[in-house]
Amino acid sequence: MVKLPLSVRIVLLVIVMSGILVGGILVTVHQLMVANYETIMAERETAEINRLAFELELSQQQRTLALEAFATRLLTDSGQLRSQQALQSLLQQPSVASELFSDGLLIFDGDGTAIAENRHVPGRIGTNYADRPHIQRAQQTKEAVVSEPIMGRTTGLPLISYVQPILSSNDDVIGYAAGIVDLANTPLIDSGNWAEDESSTITLILDPRHRLFVSMRERFDTPEPLPENGEDALVDAALSLSPAGTFVDYQQQQYLVASQQLDSIGWIVLRALPYSDAIAPAKAAFRQFLLIALIAMALVGLAGAWIAQSLTRPIERITHRIDHMADDARFDSDFREQGGPEVRALARAMNRLANERKVADDAIREAERFLFNILEAASEVAIIATDTVGIITAFNKGAENMLGYSKTDVLGKQTPAILHLKDELEVRSAQLSAELGKPIEGFRVFVEKAEQDGSETREWTYVHKDSHYLPVSLVVTPMRDSTGEISGYLNIAEDITEQKQADKMKNEFISTVSHELRTPLTSISGALGLIMGGALGELPEKAQKLLTTAHRNSKRLAHLINDLLDIEKIAAGKLHFDMQVQPLMPLIEQALESNRSYGSDRSVTLSLACGDDALEALIIVDPQRLSQVLANLLSNAIKFSPDGDEVTLAVEVSDKTIIVSVIDNGPGITDAFREKIFQRFAQADSSDTRAKDGTGLGLAITRELVEHMGGRINFESAEGKGSRFFFELPLIQTAVETSLQKANATEYRQSPRILVVEDDEDVAYLLSIMLNEAGYQVDVALNGKDALSTLHKTHYDLVSLDLMLPDTSGLDIIRILREQPSTADIPIVVISAKVEQGRLAIKGDSDNIDWLAKPIDQYKLIDIVNRQLSASRQDHPRILHVEDDLDLHEVVSAMAGERFEFEVAHTLENARICLKQQAFDVVLLDIELPDGSGWELVPDIRACQPEAKVVILSGADMTNQQHGQVEAVLLKSRLSTDRLVEVISSRIRSSRLLR
């Protein structure tokens, strides 16, 4: 686009503005002139039509009056019509009527027959005209009548007949006087008044009643009827009596028309003037005005050019001066303040700007010097800037020290890619491409997330110029210009070699704590648990109290260690979750049972509150982690409850979630502590004299565990009125049919399943308690029909059977079971008051049947059940325990009991020998061994005994990847008899199913 000088633009502006002004004036004047001339012409035509109408009206009245006066002369003194001869004589005498009716005067008798005429027309005398409409009207009205244009009956000429009735003294019509106007020869008005302006103006006289032309635009020989509506625009305008100033399109031309109707005879007079003729004077006047306006515009343009030149010349001189200053890279402040006010103001502003520019330049140079010093002083941090395509534009002293490159090596030449490992870039490229759904490659790998999030902090490995590696924490931030557009990127890298070394030392320390502390602690806690459980028989009361104290504190120490290690794993994102679909209530009941003893010394009890809909609820959780959550919340509630109080665990089910609440009546939570309740190491009383012990990590760990399992946790509390801690988890389903789900819910325990067939509910309940305490799963059938139905649907390891049942005999049930292949070998313990009769009844067929007489001896019952179950199995499951700590092996072996056969290997080498020589169902494997890591043994186990299941028993938790390599992981610090037996049994069962 061509940029015009200011002077030219001013001139153009003046011309354009004056042109717009003059154009507006011209348009307005033209409209006013045309409208004015239209009004004048309309008024003129109105006056003209009025004049013509008046003259026509006057001529009609003159003829009518003259004819009326003439008619009076045709009567005798006695009021009779004169004789024909006298009438003919009167017609020959000069009169006003003869002058006005130069085309003839006629006299008719009372019958309408012509009897006299002043101008002889052959055949007219004696002709009867009584059939003429105007004669008939005259006879009826007895008044003067003017006919429509008619054709003379004898003359054959277009005529208008004026008829005046001659009345007798009795007012009877005795004759008629008539005057004739020949339209072919005689105008209705004087020709001087009738003339049209140079044939351009059209004048019409119409008879609307008879739709005939009275006066036409040219002479005519016969009366002509009016055209139909719409055929002639002027005729239509006349008939509609268009007012003056009406425009009508006629013969491709526009006319200005005016019309008027005569009062006496009803004729219509119309004048039509061509519109071009009407406004011709206005056009001539407008052309003169236009010429004057154009001359004025030219003068204004010349004046504008002179003014523009005088205004812009000083500004042009200043502009040239500024251009020279820019070319010479200097900014002087000696502009002369002379000329017009605007020029003086501009020079003054330029001088002021020059002074301020000098100050700003000094400040910028100082800031650049300061920023350069900061960058150079940051010798321990690498600061690297790039442009938008990745070319390095800044490289500070810290970057030189860290990476070995100098500024000259990289500035304007290299991208940050030379500082990174190629493998890391490819991995990050693949990650970003998968995450963002588009290919991210090259320099975009560094800046894509930074652009989206404002900045990105990430660990990378820098490559030194001499090729050694440096772990760094790199922060990438986009740099933006004043418009908000990205102008480059800033990379700030910190060497984290020492941090990595510290992390490694910390991990090694954690590993050492896990192994060296957890292993003996597990031995101690397990051994104490077995002793307190009666494994060595009944203990003296004092010894029992001491062992209880020792066991409680060993658990406390294990809990402390677990909290410290768990919070570390959570922070590092390394905590493993084994998510499974689980029934909720067995986990709730197990948590209540496990924590009842925690508050027993202060008589704090636990209670459960739940609706029927919660009994069948299923959730997706890690059972071990959920148990940890419940244990933390219950132990907290017990710890802060008053002595002798009750802690309630409530379960509520909504449409999509299940809410578990732990409610206590303790002191509540203060307002000051509410915001810190879920923070790490947060304690309401953190002094060394606090009444309640703990690490302050329990609730922080609980929140992390709940959120990792897809839930949320919160609390409600009023100071002095107790607290309610609750968490929500997504609900999978609740079922109405419960039998199958109950079986699934208890299947995870993997202990032997016993069916008690007993019609006495109290005895059945007693047997259930005895067998449950012994570690067995128990179902009850109260009659023979239910027993057979249950045995058909569910596998049981043993049946406890009463012989006296309400609907059938227990002996019949024994026969039915022995006849069916699926139950033929099932062990049966008969519990009855008629044991001897039963033995006789089955006639010695007592394979797999034991007999126990009522009343029931608990120990004898358990002994019989254990013996029958042991006898029903061909061999004990074999377990290879790879563990270098002999004490822990003894504890684990004792916890598992006699149902498993253990083989111990203290080293990897011993374990490999055992795997080659013997078959095992499960390998219980420690990771930290004297001659290497237990993970080295996993490939040997898979190769030698692929059906054997590998269960890790270690002091340190495993990563997700490590969990995937084995069948189960047990932590020494959380080891219990139930958990150990559960895991081993489930893996043995799956192994044997595969075989």
Side-chain angles (χ1 to χ4, degrees), residues 256-459:
L256 184 68
V257 301
S259 63
Q260 185 169 337
Q261 189 170 23
L262 303 181
D263 295 334
S264 60
I265 56 178
W267 291 350
I268 297 174
V269 180
L270 177 137
R271 279 178 60 83
L273 177 66
Y275 181 71
S276 58
D277 295 344
I279 64 170
K283 290 183 177 178
F286 181 75
R287 283 193 291 270
Q288 294 177 357
F289 184 80
L290 178 61
L291 179 60
I292 295 171
L294 292 176
I295 294 172
M297 282 184 60
L299 294 176
V300 170
L302 292 175
W306 179 80
I307 294 172
Q309 188 66 24
S310 63
L311 289 175
T312 58
R313 188 178 295 109
I315 297 176
E316 290 176 354
R317 287 198 294 266
I318 294 176
T319 303
H320 291 311
R321 172 73 180 282
I322 294 172
D323 287 338
H324 290 308
M325 291 169 57
D327 294 338
D328 298 339
R330 59 186 179 84
F331 211 98
D332 298 331
S333 59
D334 57 347
F335 288 89
R336 296 181 180 180
E337 298 181 11
Q338 60 184 13
E342 295 81 3
V343 177
R344 290 198 302 273
L346 177 61
R348 190 182 311 112
M350 291 301 300
N351 289 331
R352 180 181 175 185
L353 178 62
N355 294 329
E356 292 181 356
R357 171 65 183 272
K358 291 177 181 178
V359 174
D361 287 345
D362 293 341
I364 291 172
R365 283 191 291 270
E366 187 65 27
E368 289 176 345
R369 199 161 36 246
F370 178 73
L371 180 60
F372 176 79
N373 291 335
I374 289 177
L375 293 176
E376 293 304 307
S379 58
E380 300 301 320
V381 178
I383 301 176
I384 304 171
T386 69
D387 59 17
T388 55
V389 297
I391 301 299
I392 295 175
T393 57
F395 200 78
N396 78 326
K397 190 67 175 179
E400 291 182 334
N401 295 338
M402 182 183 295
L403 299 167
Y405 293 96
S406 66
K407 291 183 178 65
T408 56
D409 294 333
V410 296
L411 288 183
K413 303 175 183 178
Q414 300 290 347
T415 69
I418 66 165
L419 310 175
H420 290 263
L421 287 174
K422 183 179 180 181
D423 293 344
E424 276 191 350
L425 292 178
E426 291 175 352
V427 170
R428 183 57 176 163
S429 174
Q431 290 175 348
L432 288 175
S433 299
E435 177 183 347
L436 302 178
K438 59 180 181 179
I440 307 297
E441 299 174 345
F443 180 66
R444 299 301 303 172
V445 171
F446 301 108
V447 302
E448 188 70 30
K449 294 292 285 185
E451 287 183 6
Q452 293 182 4
D453 303 334
S455 66
E456 182 189 31
T457 302
R458 184 175 179 82
E459 291 187 6

Side-chain angles (χ1 to χ4, degrees), residues 67-94:
L67 188 61
E68 182 180 358
F70 179 73
T72 60
R73 297 170 58 190
L74 302 179
L75 294 174
T76 64
D77 293 339
S78 61
Q80 297 298 318
L81 186 66
R82 293 178 185 274
S83 64
Q84 184 175 3
Q85 185 177 1
L87 292 174
Q88 188 67 45
S89 175
L90 283 173
L91 288 174
Q92 299 302 321
Q93 295 177 7

Side-chain angles (χ1 to χ4, degrees), residues 636-933:
N636 258 12
I638 294 170
K639 181 165 55 177
F640 289 100
S641 293
D643 292 351
D645 200 27
E646 181 181 61
V647 172
T648 302
L649 196 157
V651 181
E652 303 172 55
V653 177
S654 67
D655 292 340
K656 296 182 180 180
T657 60
I658 189 160
I659 304 173
V660 180
S661 305
V662 176
I663 306 167
D664 65 67
N665 299 308
I669 300 170
T670 62
D671 293 339
F673 189 61
R674 286 175 180 269
E675 295 183 359
K676 300 185 292 183
I677 189 72
F678 289 111
Q679 294 180 5
R680 300 178 186 180
F681 303 105
Q683 292 178 314
D685 179 8
S686 57
S687 65
D688 56 4
T689 59
R690 64 182 183 271
K692 308 297 181 182
D693 55 11
T695 62
L697 293 174
L699 288 178
I701 294 173
T702 298
R703 181 182 66 177
E704 296 288 346
L705 295 179
V706 170
E707 290 178 354
H708 273 77
M709 290 187 289
R712 70 178 190 90
I713 188 169
N714 210 333
F715 71 95
E716 297 172 351
S717 181
E719 195 167 352
K721 297 182 180 179
S723 303
R724 170 183 172 249
F725 282 83
F726 62 92
F727 61 88
E728 299 179 13
L729 290 171
L731 179 65
I732 301 303
Q733 83 176 74
T734 55
V736 177
E737 297 295 334
T738 61
S739 59
L740 182 59
Q741 287 192 1
K742 285 184 177 179
N744 293 336
T746 56
E747 184 180 357
Y748 75 96
R749 296 168 62 183
Q750 302 299 336
S751 56
R753 196 178 192 88
I754 297 175
L755 176 65
V756 174
V757 185
E758 173 63 57
D759 63 330
D760 189 311
E761 293 186 8
D762 293 336
V763 175
Y765 178 68
L766 177 63
L767 287 171
S768 297
I769 293 176
M770 291 179 179
L771 293 171
N772 277 327
E773 289 182 350
Y776 299 110
Q777 300 179 65
V778 179
D779 291 334
V780 174
L782 299 178
N783 55 63
K785 180 180 178 182
D786 290 347
L788 292 173
S789 175
T790 302
L791 285 165
H792 178 70
K793 296 177 181 178
T794 308
H795 169 74
Y796 288 93
D797 297 285
L798 183 141
V799 176
S800 166
L801 179 64
D802 186 9
L803 297 180
M804 302 296 294
L805 297 172
D807 57 343
T808 185
S809 168
L811 298 176
D812 292 336
I813 292 178
I814 292 175
R815 293 189 185 98
I816 292 172
L817 294 179
R818 290 294 180 253
E819 291 172 357
Q820 297 177 357
S822 60
T823 56
D825 297 327
I826 188 171
I828 300 174
V829 176
V830 177
I831 301 176
S832 175
K834 298 182 179 181
V835 171
E836 295 303 325
Q837 294 91 324
R839 284 176 176 169
L840 293 174
I842 62 172
K843 300 177 182 181
D845 185 11
S846 59
D847 291 343
N848 287 344
I849 300 178
D850 260 309
W851 306 84
L852 181 63
K854 294 181 179 178
I856 303 167
D857 184 329
Q858 177 181 357
Y859 296 105
K860 191 171 183 179
L861 169 66
I862 300 304
D863 182 61
I864 290 173
V865 170
N866 287 338
R867 187 172 64 253
Q868 282 284 7
L869 289 174
S870 299
S872 67
R873 300 178 182 177
Q874 296 179 355
D875 57 353
H876 292 287
R878 291 181 53 77
I879 299 174
L880 174 61
H881 188 191
V882 184
E883 173 62 62
D884 61 333
D885 190 313
L886 295 179
D887 294 335
L888 180 59
H889 169 68
E890 294 296 334
V891 171
V892 169
S893 178
M895 292 170 71
E898 297 179 355
R899 69 188 76 180
F900 304 112
E901 182 178 338
F902 275 85
E903 183 75 26
V904 65
H906 305 302
T907 64
L908 291 176
E909 186 62 30
N910 290 341
R912 291 188 177 99
I913 293 173
C914 291
L915 288 170
K916 292 177 181 179
Q917 295 177 350
Q918 305 176 52
F920 298 98
D921 295 284
V922 174
V923 178
L924 196 60
L925 178 61
D926 188 15
I927 297 302
E928 301 292 338
L929 294 168
D931 55 345
S933 170

Side-chain angles (χ1 to χ4, degrees), residues 12-131:
L12 291 177
L13 178 62
V14 170
I15 293 175
V16 170
M17 293 304 295
S18 60
I20 293 173
L21 179 61
V22 170
I25 294 174
L26 290 174
V27 171
T28 304
V29 168
H30 180 266
Q31 293 177 347
L32 290 175
M33 293 176 70
V34 170
N36 185 46
Y37 272 93
E38 288 176 358
T39 304
I40 293 172
M41 292 307 296
E43 292 175 352
R44 193 190 79 172
E45 289 302 303
T46 301
E48 184 65 21
I49 199 69
N50 288 337
R51 182 185 66 80
L52 291 176
F54 175 76
E55 290 184 1
L56 186 59
E57 187 79 33
L58 182 59
S59 69
Q60 300 307 313
Q61 291 177 0
Q62 288 175 347
R63 286 189 173 97
T64 302
L65 291 174
L67 188 61
E68 182 180 358
F70 179 73
T72 60
R73 297 170 58 190
L74 302 179
L75 294 174
T76 64
D77 293 339
S78 61
Q80 297 298 318
L81 186 66
R82 293 178 185 274
S83 64
Q84 184 175 3
Q85 185 177 1
L87 292 174
Q88 188 67 45
S89 175
L90 283 173
L91 288 174
Q92 299 302 321
Q93 295 177 7
S95 64
V96 175
S98 61
E99 292 178 359
L100 294 175
F101 294 103
S102 59
D103 295 320
L105 285 173
L106 289 173
I107 298 173
F108 301 93
D109 61 13
D111 295 330
T113 301
I115 58 176
E117 60 182 355
N118 66 346
R119 292 182 65 183
H120 175 69
V121 175
R124 186 159 58 181
I125 298 299
T127 302
N128 187 274
Y129 292 90
D131 60 338

Side-chain angles (χ1 to χ4, degrees), residues 118-366:
N118 66 346
R119 292 182 65 183
H120 175 69
V121 175
R124 186 159 58 181
I125 298 299
T127 302
N128 187 274
Y129 292 90
D131 60 338
R132 291 290 192 177
H134 58 281
I135 298 294
Q136 295 173 356
R137 289 204 310 273
Q139 183 182 13
Q140 294 172 359
T141 61
K142 298 180 182 181
E143 295 179 354
V145 173
V146 180
S147 74
E148 70 274 13
I150 59 177
M151 293 299 295
R153 182 165 293 178
T154 57
T155 62
L157 298 175
L159 307 173
I160 293 178
S161 177
Y162 292 75
V163 178
Q164 174 65 46
I166 303 171
L167 303 177
S168 67
S169 59
N170 295 328
D171 205 26
D172 293 328
V173 177
I174 60 176
Y176 302 92
I180 305 299
V181 176
D182 183 0
L183 294 177
N185 297 316
T186 304
L188 294 175
I189 58 176
D190 293 340
S191 59
N193 296 331
W194 183 254
E196 298 178 348
D197 301 336
E198 299 179 357
S199 300
S200 62
T201 302
I202 300 174
T203 304
L204 295 179
I205 301 175
L206 308 177
D207 182 356
R209 186 173 63 180
H210 301 100
R211 293 192 62 85
L212 295 171
F213 286 105
V214 177
S215 176
M216 300 181 60
R217 284 157 288 188
E218 57 186 19
R219 297 288 181 177
F220 59 93
D221 295 330
T222 58
E224 186 174 341
L226 299 180
E228 296 297 327
N229 291 337
E231 293 182 5
D232 191 312
L234 292 181
V235 173
D236 293 340
L239 293 175
S240 62
L241 294 175
S242 299
T246 303
F247 293 98
V248 175
D249 291 327
Y250 178 72
Q251 293 183 350
Q252 299 181 348
Q253 190 174 359
Q254 195 172 46
Y255 284 82
L256 184 68
V257 301
S259 63
Q260 185 169 337
Q261 189 170 23
L262 303 181
D263 295 334
S264 60
I265 56 178
W267 291 350
I268 297 174
V269 180
L270 177 137
R271 279 178 60 83
L273 177 66
Y275 181 71
S276 58
D277 295 344
I279 64 170
K283 290 183 177 178
F286 181 75
R287 283 193 291 270
Q288 294 177 357
F289 184 80
L290 178 61
L291 179 60
I292 295 171
L294 292 176
I295 294 172
M297 282 184 60
L299 294 176
V300 170
L302 292 175
W306 179 80
I307 294 172
Q309 188 66 24
S310 63
L311 289 175
T312 58
R313 188 178 295 109
I315 297 176
E316 290 176 354
R317 287 198 294 266
I318 294 176
T319 303
H320 291 311
R321 172 73 180 282
I322 294 172
D323 287 338
H324 290 308
M325 291 169 57
D327 294 338
D328 298 339
R330 59 186 179 84
F331 211 98
D332 298 331
S333 59
D334 57 347
F335 288 89
R336 296 181 180 180
E337 298 181 11
Q338 60 184 13
E342 295 81 3
V343 177
R344 290 198 302 273
L346 177 61
R348 190 182 311 112
M350 291 301 300
N351 289 331
R352 180 181 175 185
L353 178 62
N355 294 329
E356 292 181 356
R357 171 65 183 272
K358 291 177 181 178
V359 174
D361 287 345
D362 293 341
I364 291 172
R365 283 191 291 270
E366 187 65 27

